[in-house]
Amino acid sequence: MKTIGLALLALGSSLGVSHGQTACANLRPPTIPGATILRTEAREVLNYHTGGFEAAANGCVINTWLTHGNSGDEVLVRIWLPLQGRHEWNGYLNGIGGARFSAGECTERVSFAEATPANLARLGYASVCTDAGVGHIQPGNTITWAHNQQLLRNFAYLSVHEMTVIAKAIANDYFGRPPSHSFFFGVGRGGQQGYIAAERYPKDFDGILADGAYVDYARTGMASFWPYLVQHDRGFVDRCSLNAIAEAAIRQCGGFESPDCPGFDAQSLANTVYMCPGGRRVTITAYDASVWTSLHEGPFGNGSYGTHHAIIDSEWATEPPNRSFFTSQYITDFLLNDPDYDYSNIDQDQYMTLWEQSVAEWTAIWGTNTDLAAFRARGGKFWAIHNRGDDIVPVSVAVDHLERLRDVFSQAELNDFYRLTIRPQAYHRGYWYWDFEPRGDLASLINWVVSGTAPSV
Ligand SMILES: *[C@@H]1O[C@H](CO)[C@@H](O)[C@H](O)[C@H]1NC(C)=O
Ligand SMILES: *[C@@H]1O[C@H](CO)[C@@H](O)[C@H](O)[C@H]1NC(C)=O
């Protein structure tokens, strides 16, 4: 026993662990009020190759599982720390957000998803993510937690907070000092998590990057079903036709910079032939044009929750939603508590009733509000980014949210801590490890927090 102990000690010191710090394998989470730690695995991961990079990542990886009261939930918190002696820690912690109905994109055991925290470790960042106890995204998964109050709380806000408390304490134990600054980034669902973290736990993060955020999911979740509703009874329109009309609108209106396109009439393109990528020809029909207009104008016919220029890359606009299992799932699993519900019978009236139900019952769980005063007061910086042509989360939700913030904060106050950058680009954005090279958005956020220079793009 003694020999083994000495060998471990020697290994520890060769990797740069000094007095008062804890070796990777011995790291344990702190006590979390209201939660019980079930188990923890901590290990050194050497020469982890992140796809596309020659350089290997070396990390101290800590997986910990916790539960709350008698609820039976099992929440995974995964932390990657730059391995001492191999990578120098820059003092920063990053929380990584989720997507769709996943709480954290680094929890899936596929190499690409692992690439983000591993690459962050290679670049000197500590990072943390969680599965909120709801597991990975898969068809049929959400009904298992849609009506479990603990899992809903975990998913909507609690797990991101708890993972952050744990990661800060573990980084302190490992490096002998706490993070100098903590950040959070996410896209779509991850962006929503960023807003809710700033509202509910303003001390957790110094800077938050929310891209294509599901602001006010009680409404935007309903809006995701709109493309299906307008097409399912009369047929799904060829994506190429929709994009042909979108291209014409963009040309006529001076590109993606233009917020609106008054005077553009999709019907004027009816019966024209368009050459799709790959050489296929489509004839745009009057029906295609009417669907494009409905997607553009949204469920209220006034642009709210409509897809700007209605550019389409997502299967949920052009396929029955059982293919993408995300669009209908909110309605069947969360609102109706019936995963077998035949959503193809939902008509406009029922849709509007469901919309009201969603707002009444679910805003308290995953709505976003304007309670950012405490986040501003602690010096937090919030950067919202939205692609004008986001085909999944309409850009109008980000603009509406900024309008509501303007009712609460003066422009000078907003300049202090909040930016909405609308980029003249199409499609919903995904973050991958290459976004975190020194010149990426994360670097701009860090620069804003650390040196006070707000991002200019
Ligand atoms: C569109 O109509 C809805 C429902 O009446 C309303 O809540 C929303 O504020 C309107 N949006 C705009 C941009 O006028
Ligand atoms: C989706 O639903 C359609 C009918 O709306 C059905 O024909 C198709 O087989 C379903 N696909 C899957 C993957 O369940």
Side-chain angles (χ1 to χ4, degrees), residues 14-321:
S14 76
L15 290 174
V17 176
S18 61
H19 185 71
Q21 296 167 231
T22 307
C24 179
N26 297 334
L27 290 168
R28 293 295 175 268
T31 304
I32 300 294
T36 308
I37 304 297
L38 295 170
R39 60 190 188 282
T40 298
E41 297 167 354
R43 64 184 199 282
E44 294 178 350
V45 175
L46 295 170
N47 294 314
Y48 185 94
H49 275 276
T50 62
F53 282 98
E54 291 295 316
N58 299 286
C60 167
V61 180
I62 304 98
N63 290 329
T64 197
W65 287 265
L66 51 99
T67 192
H68 300 87
N70 300 321
S71 71
D73 63 336
E74 264 194 45
V75 178
L76 167 66
V77 171
R78 175 172 291 165
I79 299 165
W80 267 76
L81 305 173
L83 193 65
Q84 299 205 56
R86 303 294 180 105
H87 304 300
E88 194 174 339
W89 186 39
N90 55 21
Y92 301 146
L93 172 69
N94 276 298
I96 303 173
R100 302 192 183 188
F101 285 112
S102 148
E105 279 290 77
C106 72
T107 58
E108 297 195 44
R109 290 175 192 275
V110 296
S111 58
F112 202 57
E114 282 281 10
T116 298
N119 190 52
L120 286 170
R122 186 181 70 82
L123 296 170
Y125 299 87
S127 63
V128 60
C129 64
T130 179
D131 74 353
V134 307
H136 304 162
I137 323 174
Q138 46 187 272
N141 165 292
T142 53
I143 194 63
T144 63
W145 58 273
H147 300 277
N148 177 313
Q149 293 308 309
Q150 183 64 50
L151 292 173
L152 282 171
R153 276 196 296 277
N154 290 351
F155 183 81
Y157 51 87
L158 188 60
S159 291
V160 166
H161 170 63
E162 290 177 342
M163 79 176 190
T164 307
V165 172
I166 292 172
K168 286 179 178 179
I170 285 203
N172 185 45
D173 289 347
Y174 184 61
F175 296 112
R177 62 191 161 109
S180 66
H181 298 90
S182 299
F183 304 94
F184 181 86
F185 63 84
V187 183
R189 181 73 65 193
Q192 170 190 316
Q193 291 170 313
Y195 274 96
I196 295 178
E199 292 163 12
R200 289 189 185 248
Y201 303 102
K203 290 187 183 145
D204 282 0
F205 302 108
D206 301 277
I208 294 173
L209 179 56
D211 194 321
Y214 263 121
V215 175
D216 195 5
Y217 189 68
R219 292 181 178 84
T220 47
M222 285 303 300
S224 294
F225 190 72
W226 177 245
Y228 175 80
L229 186 70
V230 301
Q231 296 174 86
H232 80 273
D233 54 346
R234 291 199 292 144
F236 285 83
V237 172
D238 190 318
R239 192 181 304 181
C240 176
S241 289
L242 293 175
N243 284 344
I245 301 171
E247 272 182 25
I250 291 163
R251 259 197 316 276
Q252 178 168 327
C253 302
F256 266 112
E257 297 289 355
S258 67
D260 291 307
C261 197
F264 176 74
D265 178 12
Q267 289 298 344
S268 66
L269 295 171
N271 302 315
T272 58
V273 176
Y274 181 79
M275 184 83 81
C276 301
R280 188 168 58 92
R281 282 162 187 277
V282 293
T283 302
I284 296 167
T285 66
Y287 172 65
D288 297 349
S290 72
V291 166
W292 184 90
T293 303
S294 295
L295 299 183
H296 182 63
E297 293 182 347
F300 299 103
N302 61 7
S304 283
Y305 307 100
T307 307
H308 186 72
H309 293 331
I311 201 155
I312 299 300
D313 192 43
S314 42
E315 71 266 33
W316 51 53
T318 48
E319 301 278 359

